[in-house]
Amino acid sequence: MEYENITKFILLGLFSNADVKIPCSVIFSLCYLAILSGNLAILLTIRGSHLGEQPMYFFLSYLSFMDVCFTSTVAPKLIIDLLIQWNTISFSGCVSQMFHAHFFGATEIFILVAMAYDRYVAICRPLHYVVIMSRRSCYILVMASVIGAFIHSLMQVLIIVQLPFCGPNQIDHYFCDVFPLLKLACTDTRLLKIIIVTTTGVLSILTFVALVISYIIILSTLRTRSSEGRRKALSTCGSHIMVVLMFFLPLIFTYVPMADSVSDDKVFALLYTMIAPLFNPLIYTLRNTDMKNAMRKVWGPHKLSEGT
């Protein structure tokens, strides 16, 4: 018996209780505004100050931009669905959302790796830092991150578009992602799940382990430094480690297990799509003296008076 492919999906969202949807839409709207304002403030501060000349802040500006783009692929649809309960999405719109979510998310992962490499060179090979982390090298690392993320996202799309979807069309998630879509396919997807776990889950684990090892090497090297240099390096590395933990741990829990229920996946996904981008600006500003000084210069009263 043949079935026609469905043309739209219904996102079941985070909650089934209608009473909490409107209050949650307000909370998520405030979080989204905070994510936009916080990350754009970091981006504009770095671009408008001398910090942009330093590789660490060069990468941080791109990380903030990726945070904005990544959250913007998910948050507006989530907020609208909670507010007016219009939770349908076309097949092409679903595939597009999945592609962009994976693209911006993967780019963010690779940029975090580039930031860790920058800290490794700065602390473990300081005499060669200027040569190794030249502006050309920084642009190459960013371009490699974008290209790698594009290839990863294209693989996810190619997996989904060749599958038959004949019903049901209810996605047990608040945005389109690979595992929830595989559950709806009218064919055996066990091999595809293994492929996705291998490509995305194992890649996330290996990247996380590599980052942890790099910071163990960095911290062991700091023991030979002066107390002032050790304090500044620990502050910078500490901020980066916090961001890595907040982003990678929920990501690993989402893409490594292959349980039938995705209810936990929705909670984990909320952590890396909304919570981590919300706290990233706070982590990088409250713990960073250079960033706070730059924000005072760029956004200080004298700048405001010049604009009026």
Side-chain angles (χ1 to χ4, degrees), residues 85-126:
Q85 299 183 22
W86 181 262
N87 54 357
T88 60
I89 186 170
S90 65
F91 180 82
S92 58
C94 188
V95 172
S96 176
Q97 186 185 50
M98 184 187 69
F99 172 84
H100 287 95
H102 278 266
F103 174 70
F104 293 124
T107 305
E108 193 164 340
I109 288 174
F110 295 135
I111 289 176
L112 286 171
V113 173
M115 293 175 73
Y117 177 68
D118 170 70
R119 290 300 84 203
Y120 169 79
V121 175
I123 294 171
C124 299
R125 302 187 65 185

Side-chain angles (χ1 to χ4, degrees), residues 106-182:
T107 305
E108 193 164 340
I109 288 174
F110 295 135
I111 289 176
L112 286 171
V113 173
M115 293 175 73
Y117 177 68
D118 170 70
R119 290 300 84 203
Y120 169 79
V121 175
I123 294 171
C124 299
R125 302 187 65 185
L127 297 179
H128 302 89
Y129 180 74
V130 176
V131 176
I132 296 175
M133 297 306 297
S134 64
R135 183 48 57 101
R136 181 173 178 271
S137 299
C138 292
Y139 278 118
I140 289 174
L141 287 172
V142 170
M143 287 304 300
S145 299
V146 172
I147 293 171
F150 178 81
I151 294 172
H152 162 78
S153 305
L154 187 61
M155 287 175 58
Q156 311 302 309
V157 169
L158 292 177
I159 287 174
I160 294 301
V161 295
Q162 51 90 28
L163 293 175
F165 293 95
C166 51
N169 65 340
Q170 294 182 334
I171 300 176
D172 188 14
H173 216 297
Y174 63 91
F175 73 97
C176 291
D177 203 1
V178 179
F179 280 148
L181 284 170
L182 287 179

Side-chain angles (χ1 to χ4, degrees), residues 6 8 16 31 47-48 50 55 63 66 78 86 91 114 154 173 207 217 243 251 265:
I6 56 178
K8 66 179 180 180
S16 57
C31 289
R47 296 298 172 88
H50 67 282
L63 182 69
M66 287 302 114
L78 169 64
W86 181 262
F91 180 82
L154 187 61
H173 216 297
T207 306
I217 297 173
V243 172
L251 193 68
D265 290 356

Side-chain angles (χ1 to χ4, degrees), residues 227-279:
S227 58
E228 178 63 24
R230 187 163 56 245
R231 183 197 61 80
K232 187 173 181 179
L234 282 173
S235 176
T236 303
C237 293
S239 300
H240 193 252
I241 291 171
M242 289 175 65
V243 172
V244 167
L245 291 175
M246 289 183 64
F247 191 82
F248 271 90
L249 292 182
L251 193 68
I252 290 171
F253 282 118
T254 300
Y255 288 101
V256 173
M258 298 196 321
D260 291 333
S261 174
V262 294
S263 57
D264 291 336
D265 290 356
K266 290 189 285 186
V267 177
F268 292 134
L270 192 65
L271 291 176
Y272 65 78
T273 57
M274 294 286 287
I275 305 302
L278 178 64
F279 281 95

